[in-house]
Structure formats: C-alpha cells, structure tokens
Amino acid sequence: MAGTVDTKFVKYEVKDRIAYITLNRPEAMNALSQGLLADLNTAFREAGRDDDVLVVILSGEGGRAFSAGMDLKEFSARQAEQAAAGQAPAAIGAGGDGPSGFTSVGRCRKPVIAAIDGYCLAGGFELAIQSDIRVASRKSVFGLPEARRSILAGPGLTQLPRMIPLAEALRIALTGAPISAERALQIGIIQELAADREEVFKVAQGIADEILLGAPLAMQEIKRLVKEGVEMTIPQAEMLREILSAQLAQTEDALEGPRAFAEKRAPNWKMR
C-alpha cells in the first residue's frame, strides 16, 4: 500500500485511490484522546490534499470497538489540573479536546465510509454520524451515554436528529441506552448490516468501488450540495446546485464524461 502519514494513534494507508484511516488505540477501545484526535486531523488533512485519494474508509483497530468515545480518564485528569490552577473546567469537545480533529471527518470533501465493528459509542458514534455512509457488523452497538455523565453530546444532538426520526434521536440521547446494529439499520443510522468484521470491509470496499466509477469532481460537488442543501430551503438549494453545476461544466471532466459514453469506453478523469 502507498501513502503514509507520521501518526502514532491513527493508521493511514492508500490503495487503489482509497485512503484507509484506522483509529489505533485498541487497548483503550480506540478512545478519543487528544493525541488520537490530533492524528485523525492529520490523516484527514492528508486525504483531502492527496489527489490520488478519492474515497476514505474509516474504521477502528482491534475488533472490539470502532470507538468507545472520548477518553474520559484523560479528560477528567485535565479537569482536575484546571481546577487546581483555579481555571474554569473546559467542556468536552472544546479547546484542547481538538475540535478540528473531531470534526475533520465531517469536513472532508471526499466521500467517507465508516466501517464499524464493535462498540460505537459517544464520541465514536459521533465520528460515525459525521461519515457519509455507515456499514456495521451484527455485533456492533451504538449509543450516546453522555447524559449519564452530565455531558452534552455534539453531533449526536445536532446532526443525528436531522438524519433519523426525531423521537428515535431523542430516545437515544435521553436514555443513554445502547441500541443494536439491527435497530440502527431499521431507523437509518447505518446503511448496510454485515455478518462480521471481514464482511464489513468487503461491503465498505464494494461501496467505495461503486463511488470510484463516478467522476471525482462530481462526487465532491454532490456531497457538498447534499450536505449543505439539506440545511437550506429548496430554492436556496436549487440556486447552489446551479452555481456548482456551472462550475463543473467548465472542467475537462465535464467534456470527458459524455465523450467517453459516445465512444463506448471508460472515461479518463483528470480532475480538472
């Protein structure tokens, strides 16, 4: 595999135009420490910069957890230090907890597929929420237990209610109780259910391969239009679509797509 970054808590590999980003703290169930969040930001920044990368598959090392959430031991120790220094304690996800690393998944301009196997809780669940497509093994478990620790979740409270029925999002957030992968599929949190870890990656790879059939620049604009457009009125979204479509029409790839179809050959995308 080609493509590497200098990170300790995240693995980064590129193969066949897919970047594989793996949370790599299996001994801590891939808990989101400051170091891991910083590395995650580095990895996604590289994936966004590299024109050879067209799709990202995000997963967790070890087979026990995609991620069990924020590293509360580290966070609690930092709060104690702040209290001893007479400082106001920071909230999770603020300041030193690396919001750029945490939100780098959602900000990635390229399609992101979450390959989930095992516990997917709290901040780990929210990383999955910020991905574009989610595949999970049957043993996977999802939940937002923050309320049981007097913590307000982030994307779990702001993005999840826009993805699934409101009452389902409220039940997950208010009870803090985990839900099964089967239930997550029923209510639309995940898009496909796999038997085990091996099949999760096969399914994620298959989805990535289908995305790779499309024009790269078009894929990026589709993602932008859908994600930004859902927050707009329909007329506003239509206006954004016209702007993005006009820009795309000026590219070489916009000429190549119809030409390749007419010539009955595979298109040669140049991403310009």
Side-chain angles (χ1 to χ4, degrees):
M1 290 190 178
T4 59
V5 295
D6 184 17
T7 51
K8 179 179 179 180
F9 301 110
V10 169
K11 292 182 179 180
Y12 182 88
E13 298 174 313
V14 177
K15 182 180 180 182
D16 298 331
R17 315 212 77 175
I18 301 171
Y20 295 84
I21 298 178
T22 308
L23 309 179
N24 190 30
R25 293 187 70 210
E27 74 287 351
M29 298 182 70
N30 299 317
L32 306 177
S33 63
Q34 286 184 295
L36 188 151
L37 288 171
D39 285 354
L40 191 64
N41 186 51
T42 298
F44 269 92
R45 186 169 61 243
E46 175 63 19
R49 181 204 63 79
D50 187 355
D51 286 342
D52 190 50
V53 171
L54 301 183
V55 184
V56 177
I57 294 180
L58 176 65
S59 65
E61 185 67 30
R64 292 180 61 210
F66 175 77
S67 172
M70 195 66 67
D71 188 331
L72 292 182
K73 291 182 180 178
E74 178 187 76
F75 178 72
S76 179
R78 192 161 65 257
Q79 278 194 323
E81 292 176 0
Q82 291 169 334
Q87 301 172 353
I92 279 186
D97 286 296
S100 60
F102 190 72
T103 59
S104 60
V105 178
R107 291 176 180 173
C108 184
R109 62 193 178 95
K110 299 171 182 179
V112 180
I113 302 167
I116 302 160
D117 181 39
Y119 292 103
C120 186
L121 304 173
F125 185 15
E126 293 178 305
L127 286 182
I129 288 171
Q130 293 181 88
S131 302
D132 302 312
I133 300 168
R134 288 159 292 279
V135 179
S137 63
R138 288 191 176 276
K139 75 174 186 181
S140 298
V141 176
F142 301 81
L144 293 173
E146 282 89 340
R148 299 183 180 186
R149 299 291 181 265
S150 193
I151 297 169
L152 290 183
L157 299 182
T158 58
Q159 295 181 31
L160 186 62
R162 301 170 190 265
M163 296 167 54
I164 64 175
L166 183 61
E168 296 289 355
L170 281 169
R171 181 176 181 179
I172 290 170
L174 290 173
T175 65
I179 64 171
S180 67
E182 288 83 356
R183 184 59 180 160
L185 178 67
Q186 290 171 357
I187 61 179
I189 292 174
I190 63 174
Q191 282 61 64
E192 200 155 342
L193 190 60
D196 53 28
R197 184 178 182 83
E198 181 179 358
E199 187 178 343
V200 164
F201 282 96
K202 286 182 180 178
V203 172
Q205 179 75 56
I207 295 171
D209 288 342
E210 290 181 329
I211 292 174
L212 290 173
L213 295 175
L217 295 179
M219 295 298 102
Q220 293 175 26
E221 299 296 27
I222 287 169
K223 175 173 176 173
R224 178 181 174 186
L225 178 57
V226 170
K227 288 211 160 186
E228 293 184 16
V230 76
E231 308 295 336
M232 301 175 176
T233 64
I234 291 179
Q236 289 172 333
E238 289 174 340
M239 184 176 297
L240 176 60
R241 187 263 174 197
E242 292 302 317
I243 293 171
L244 298 180
S245 183
Q247 293 174 351
L248 192 62
Q250 301 303 311
T251 65
E252 292 183 32
D253 283 358
L255 300 175
E256 171 64 7
R259 183 187 299 123
F261 178 80
E263 296 174 359
K264 298 181 179 180
R265 60 172 174 82
N268 178 25
W269 307 120
K270 297 182 178 179
M271 295 184 67
R272 60 175 186 262

